[in-house]
Amino acid sequence: MAYAYDDQNIFAKILRGEIPNDTVAETEHTLAFNDIYPQAPVHVLVIPKGPYVCFDHFAAEASDAEIADFHRVAAKICADLGVAPGDGGKGYRTISNAGEHPVQEVPHYHMHILGGRPLGRMLQKTD
Ligand code: AMP
């Protein structure tokens, strides 16, 4: 695996405090903030604080503590924002884009949490 992390990406700037964000949750290893162009009433981005480009990079190279914290923060947000089915919510979708085909815009690993309205099927077949 060969990933080169670009520390000039916009989420790296958010983590350094160079540009503002609308924080939802923060821990030692993880930051979560509202997407600037929300696609649903709930649209939160969860990012690790470490320099990981995408999901497989994070899963392969982050520490167990970073990986556990990331997922616990994401799950707590689903519960806190009232979309987790186990808490009576109507559900949510997590999305993580990696690379070219899914159009990853920001090369710092992030999980989208989307909910608060019907989201339709996951993908529309176009060919
Ligand atoms: P992706 O296409 O998966 O890389 O998603 C990148 C997401 O980052 C998009 O949903 C953007 O709206 C969002 N985004 C870009 N810049 C910012 C920012 N400064 N604050 C919050 N969200 C942002």
Side-chain angles (χ1 to χ4, degrees):
M1 178 190 305
Y3 284 114
Y5 182 78
D6 170 14
D7 69 4
Q8 293 308 305
N9 78 75
I10 198 148
F11 294 169
K13 292 179 180 177
I14 285 175
L15 286 168
R16 289 195 295 268
E18 294 169 9
I19 61 171
N21 74 92
D22 183 10
T23 299
V24 173
E26 182 168 14
T27 64
E28 178 185 359
H29 297 301
T30 307
L31 178 67
F33 50 90
N34 285 312
D35 197 292
I36 201 166
Y37 299 118
Q39 304 297 313
V42 171
H43 190 171
V44 176
L45 301 173
V46 186
I47 70 173
K49 291 186 174 179
Y52 306 105
V53 174
C54 59
F55 165 73
D56 63 283
H57 189 204
F58 178 66
E61 296 193 3
S63 68
D64 290 359
E66 288 174 290
I67 292 170
D69 185 69
F70 180 89
H71 290 93
R72 293 250 155 76
V73 167
K76 186 171 187 304
I77 288 167
C78 294
D80 288 350
L81 296 185
V83 294
D87 295 320
K90 290 188 179 292
Y92 57 88
R93 178 174 294 153
T94 60
I95 298 174
S96 171
N97 296 312
E100 181 181 341
H101 274 184
V103 192
Q104 181 180 6
E105 293 177 1
V106 181
H108 182 113
Y109 174 47
H110 50 284
M111 174 191 282
H112 299 253
I113 299 173
L114 294 149
R117 66 166 173 82
L119 297 171
R121 290 191 178 274
M122 184 171 67
L123 294 173
Q124 304 296 323
K125 193 166 177 7
T126 57
D127 54 358

